[in-house]
Amino acid sequence: MTKQTLGLEKNLHEYLLSVSVREPEILTKLRQETAQHPMAMMQIAPEQGQFMSLLLQLIGAKKTLEIGVFTGYSSLVTALALPEDGKIVACDVSDEYTQIARRYWEEAGVADKIDLYIAPARETLDKLIADGEAGSFDFAFIDADKSGYDDYYEYCLQLVRPGGLIAIDNVLWSGRVAEPEETQDNRTRHIRALNAKIHQDQRVNISLVPIADGLMLVMKLSNP
Ligand SMILES: C[S@@+](CC[C@H](N)C(=O)[O-])C[C@H]1O[C@@H](n2cnc3c(N)ncnc32)[C@H](O)[C@@H]1O
């Protein structure tokens, strides 16, 4: 028994997957296609997708925001977890990556739930706020360029309703966040600074879940 979170060796990770992951066939197919992509490492892990799906169902999410779509794994997880009348606003800059996502959204029959904006996320988020959508999202997933993370966090705090959830990916960044300051590249510094900021942020309740590359869960408080 240990009070410290276990680092998962390969065999224990495989065991975890074998007794927990129930991946729908369409997600397996997308994951297998993405595995051939040169940027495949950008996709979230299946156990993380399933965890997010459970969270979405637990909070009864109907309207969500995704910043960073790539080939669509997390957005498809989300779309499958939302009710029939659920909506996702999805942001990405790449038409090429998201062509793959669109194909799978169609095949899964969830394309109607997803509004994809191909533009730098800040533009789309500004537009949502200008259109009066602040406070209207139940859930937001941040998984794009790390230099934008702090801004995306602040945008999401405006766009998510009180009691809503923000999930931020890669916050453990393969362990580099814990390396000495002087060895850190810019992306590591951005993530590290945001983790430290969120830790002190009285506007939210938090938990950093050491699943996959680290997922920061942030619940927006009603009256900080
Ligand atoms: C880590 S991947 C997202 C992975 C995805 N969530 C999944 O489950 O497969 C990051 C994505 O962010 C997109 N991106 C990078 N900079 C961006 C920006 N400024 N605005 C919006 N999207 C951006 C990239 O094109 C890429 O598709």
Side-chain angles (χ1 to χ4, degrees), residues 153 157 163-166 198-199 201-208 216-222 224:
Y153 174 63
L157 275 177
L165 191 63
I166 303 168
I198 292 174
H199 187 211
D201 193 340
Q202 298 304 309
R203 297 172 292 178
V204 296
N205 280 348
I206 62 169
S207 180
L208 198 173
M216 182 72 89
L217 296 182
V218 178
M219 188 185 82
K220 176 176 165 178
L221 296 174
S222 314

Side-chain angles (χ1 to χ4, degrees), residues 175-205:
R176 291 198 289 282
V177 283
E179 288 171 0
E181 191 103 19
E182 63 272 16
T183 66
Q184 288 174 13
D185 61 286
N186 273 340
R187 288 184 298 174
T188 309
R189 285 176 199 276
H190 285 299
I191 295 169
R192 205 169 195 253
L194 181 59
N195 286 340
K197 169 177 158 172
I198 292 174
H199 187 211
Q200 301 302 324
D201 193 340
Q202 298 304 309
R203 297 172 292 178
V204 296
N205 280 348

Side-chain angles (χ1 to χ4, degrees), residues 42-44 66-74 91-94 97 119-121 141 143-145 152:
M42 294 209 296
Q43 183 186 75
I44 63 163
E66 170 151 314
I67 306 172
V69 173
F70 186 42
T71 61
Y73 193 92
S74 51
C91 311
D92 206 289
V93 282
S94 172
Y97 296 159
F141 182 47
D143 187 18
D145 54 308
Y152 301 151

Side-chain angles (χ1 to χ4, degrees), residues 79-151:
L80 293 172
L82 296 187
E84 276 305 309
D85 59 346
K87 271 282 170 208
I88 303 173
V89 174
C91 311
D92 206 289
V93 282
S94 172
D95 212 16
E96 185 196 331
Y97 296 159
T98 55
Q99 285 300 333
I100 301 170
R102 285 181 196 275
R103 187 153 43 79
Y104 279 87
W105 298 340
E106 286 293 340
E107 189 176 335
V110 297
D112 288 353
K113 293 182 183 175
I114 306 169
D115 293 331
L116 173 63
Y117 292 84
I118 299 293
R122 287 179 185 84
E123 286 178 20
T124 304
L125 299 168
D126 275 333
K127 183 181 174 325
L128 292 173
I129 289 168
D131 289 350
E133 298 205 41
S136 71
F137 288 82
D138 301 303
F139 176 84
F141 182 47
I142 301 176
D143 187 18
D145 54 308
K146 307 312 169 206
S147 60
Y149 261 36
D150 192 292
D151 281 356

